[in-house]
Amino acid sequence: MALWGGRFSSQPEEAMFALSRSVHFDWRLAPYDLRSSLAHVAILQEKKIIDSDTGKKLEGALRQLQKEVVAGTFTAIDSDEDVHSALERGLKEKLGDVGGAIRAGRSRNDQVATDFRLYLIDHMIEIASQLLVVQKSIAQLAQQYVDAVAPGFTHLQHAQPVSFGHELAKHAHAFTRDISRIHDWLERANLSPLGAGALSGSSLPLDPEKSAANLGFSGVIENSIDAVMDRDFAAEALFIIALVGVHISRIGEEWTLWSSTEFGWAKLNDAYSTGSSIMPQKKNPDAAELARGKSGRFIGNLTGLLTVMKGLAFAYNRDLQEDKESVFDSVENLLLLLPAVSGMIATTSFDKSKMKAAAPLGFSLATEIADFLVKQSVPFSVAHEAAGSCVKLCESKAIELHQLSDEEFLSIHPKLTADVRALLNVDGAIAARTSPNGTAPSSVKKQLDTLNQTIATNSAWVASERRRFSGMMDQ
């Protein structure tokens, strides 16, 4: 059922209707369209734009449609153009022409902008909730491996020994920033376009502020033209999702490397691995690899929407029909991915002895020599040169740093005494790094305590927002 047509002498060609039709993907907005419709009917009735009897009939039919949509007994049909026309068809099937009274003071332009914001608010809160689950899995795993020793890497080369719990926890801190971004996004996105009409507001005595409050919005978008054309909230949500995808991709890369034969550090749970159709010995880290792969999809969806938004003039343009599929795809794929990643992390075990054996390789303790000399009042540039000379000598003799003789140390620098040998072990090197953000187990434990407090604070925020918006959903 089309919501327009009075000035047209013919119906759209089949090809045009097929191009224009969006109900096959925007049906996801049906619960939110019904919410915004109920808020709109309440104002129409309160302001006596429709009479009380009509208002009660519309409200009753909308609530019945809510139940039918949830149950799947009312769905779109082939002749429906979009979610809005499908639901108005449902109203008219129940009420006859009275169902059309709901269109007073409202355009599909402000209607879809409202529905889309409600959808994204609901789902971004759910994404924050799922990120917290992943964070908890990482924090718990990090706690188990605080005292485990592993090589740290820069440039994919051995750098310095670290607490493996410290290595793992870095991912949880990245997700803290993602959740913070969702929090900030909600502050900007939580404004209502309803009442903006097609672009210029309405001459009917509506109450956009009250409609906004009834829907859980914190206010109304001030400019009606901006209200119907703005999709910054969608682009920003896609940016957040893309950045979450990048962070998850890093996890996927590390888990893939750590579970390889070459590393042999990680043992993945069978429940989060797959096999090969031809090689019976294979145990593939597919959850980790898909975590990497999905990030490309998220970045592509962001790029696509930004390109659609570029150069749109004046107010609403039909180009904006292309705003939804990329958002739906990113939201749904991220919510599909996060539980698998969380499960993969929570069920992975690591070989502590193999990691510790690898920790001193690649002369990763060379910085300890430089620091030893600095403590003897040697300028760091000189100390750095001396430590490099120690490495060069070891490479020529195919030995490790601790295997240099006392005489060889002194030949490189007169203050490089035998006392340096006590520092050339991974446990001591790690324990010495007690700065607040350092890798010493004592520091890492404090960092994890703070991280867990942040997780608890964010969990309370998510629960509060869920209650607020779910309460609006029930109205």
Side-chain angles (χ1 to χ4, degrees):
M1 184 195 80
L3 300 182
W4 49 271
R7 61 92 65 213
F8 288 81
S9 57
S10 65
Q11 293 297 310
E13 286 289 340
E14 183 177 341
M16 180 60 198
F17 181 74
L19 175 64
S20 182
R21 191 171 185 265
S22 60
V23 73
H24 52 290
F25 59 81
D26 68 17
W27 184 249
R28 292 169 176 82
L29 298 179
Y32 307 97
D33 193 81
L34 290 165
R35 277 179 63 192
S36 64
S37 292
L38 281 166
H40 185 60
V41 165
I43 296 301
L44 292 178
Q45 187 173 350
E46 180 181 313
K47 297 297 183 179
K48 302 189 186 307
I49 298 167
I50 58 176
D51 59 46
S52 177
D53 183 58
T54 299
K56 288 177 182 177
K57 287 178 180 178
L58 286 170
E59 182 181 349
L62 287 168
R63 294 199 181 279
Q64 186 60 38
L65 275 175
Q66 282 183 319
K67 295 175 184 177
E68 293 172 4
V69 167
V70 170
T73 55
F74 182 85
T75 58
I77 59 177
D78 290 344
S79 60
D80 292 326
E81 183 181 17
D82 55 26
V83 63
H84 318 296
S85 58
L87 293 172
E88 186 165 323
R89 172 179 57 80
L91 282 177
K92 287 188 173 181
E93 287 173 359
K94 295 179 185 301
L95 302 175
D97 288 342
V98 171
I102 196 171
R103 286 165 61 184
R106 186 174 71 171
S107 163
R108 278 190 298 182
N109 294 358
D110 64 339
Q111 189 175 355
V112 71
T114 302
D115 299 347
F116 199 18
R117 281 176 185 264
L118 291 171
Y119 167 89
L120 261 176
I121 288 168
D122 192 22
H123 286 78
M124 291 299 281
I125 291 170
E126 176 60 22
I127 286 170
S129 177
Q130 291 297 322
L131 284 173
L132 285 164
V133 175
V134 179
Q135 267 197 310
K136 290 173 186 175
S137 295
I138 295 169
Q140 290 168 4
L141 193 65
Q143 196 75 51
Q144 295 176 39
Y145 291 93
V146 169
D147 295 313
V149 172
F153 294 84
T154 62
H155 306 279
L156 271 179
Q157 305 291 318
H158 282 224
Q160 293 176 312
V162 296
S163 154
F164 192 60
H166 195 54
E167 184 79 72
L168 292 169
K170 71 177 187 284
H171 296 297
H173 290 286
F175 290 133
T176 292
R177 294 191 296 275
D178 293 326
I179 293 168
S180 175
R181 272 183 277 271
I182 293 173
H183 188 286
D184 294 343
W185 170 87
L186 186 56
E187 291 292 316
R188 287 182 290 278
N190 194 26
L191 294 171
S192 174
L194 199 58
L199 78 160
S200 61
S202 175
S203 62
L204 298 176
L206 303 175
D207 190 344
E209 289 82 5
K210 189 164 187 178
S211 295
N214 288 341
L215 289 168
F217 290 115
S218 58
V220 176
I221 297 174
E222 292 184 354
N223 183 296
S224 62
I225 301 174
D226 180 50
V228 298
M229 72 177 295
D230 169 47
R231 293 298 184 273
D232 291 3
F233 68 94
E236 190 176 353
L238 285 183
F239 169 75
I240 294 169
I241 291 172
L243 201 50
V244 170
V246 168
H247 294 152
I248 294 173
S249 181
R250 291 176 180 172
I251 292 173
E253 175 74 357
E254 289 182 3
W255 252 252
T256 301
L257 288 171
W258 287 337
S259 62
S260 68
T261 302
E262 286 69 24
F263 267 81
W265 293 7
K267 182 178 180 181
L268 302 185
N269 191 288
D270 287 355
Y272 293 95
S273 307
T274 65
S276 166
S277 60
I278 191 171
M279 296 170 284
Q281 84 282 6
K282 292 297 294 297
K283 183 177 179 181
N284 299 325
D286 279 18
E289 292 172 350
L290 286 168
R292 285 188 316 202
K294 293 287 187 186
S295 65
R297 186 172 189 154
F298 300 145
I299 293 166
N301 284 336
L302 169 62
T303 304
L305 179 58
L306 289 173
T307 306
V308 168
M309 292 166 59
K310 177 191 66 65
L312 295 184
F314 305 127
Y316 181 85
N317 293 272
R318 192 61 182 274
D319 310 50
L320 291 176
Q321 181 170 303
E322 296 299 314
D323 63 353
K324 296 171 198 66
E325 287 181 281
S326 56
V327 169
F328 296 151
D329 183 76
S330 285
V331 166
E332 290 167 10
N333 274 279
L334 183 56
L335 289 175
L336 181 69
L337 178 61
L338 288 172
V341 170
S342 178
M344 177 191 74
I345 292 167
T347 59
T348 300
S349 60
F350 292 90
D351 189 327
K352 293 181 181 180
S353 61
K354 188 170 286 189
M355 292 190 299
K356 186 167 186 176
L361 300 181
F363 306 106
S364 66
L365 295 169
T367 305
E368 306 312 305
I369 295 173
D371 287 348
F372 174 83
L373 288 172
V374 167
K375 291 173 184 176
Q376 311 304 313
S377 301
V378 176
F380 186 80
S381 59
V382 176
H384 185 282
E385 197 73 17
S389 297
C390 290
V391 171
K392 184 177 180 181
L393 180 57
C394 286
E395 286 181 326
S396 69
K397 300 182 70 173
I399 60 175
E400 295 297 322
L401 289 169
H402 69 276
Q403 294 175 306
L404 290 171
S405 68
D406 293 352
E407 292 76 16
E408 287 169 327
F409 277 127
L410 287 170
S411 71
I412 290 170
H413 195 282
K415 290 190 176 181
L416 205 50
T417 64
D419 293 340
V420 72
R421 207 179 306 283
L423 303 177
L424 297 180
N425 66 87
V426 293
D427 291 309
I430 291 172
R433 282 161 170 76
T434 56
S435 60
N437 57 359
T439 197
S442 58
S443 295
V444 176
K445 289 172 183 175
K446 292 177 182 177
Q447 295 158 21
L448 288 172
D449 286 342
T450 301
L451 176 64
N452 285 324
Q453 291 170 12
T454 301
I455 290 172
T457 298
N458 284 332
S459 295
W461 171 73
V462 167
S464 173
E465 292 301 291
R466 269 184 159 172
R467 283 193 300 272
R468 181 159 70 99
F469 285 101
S470 64
M472 296 300 171
M473 283 285 280
D474 294 337
Q475 290 181 14

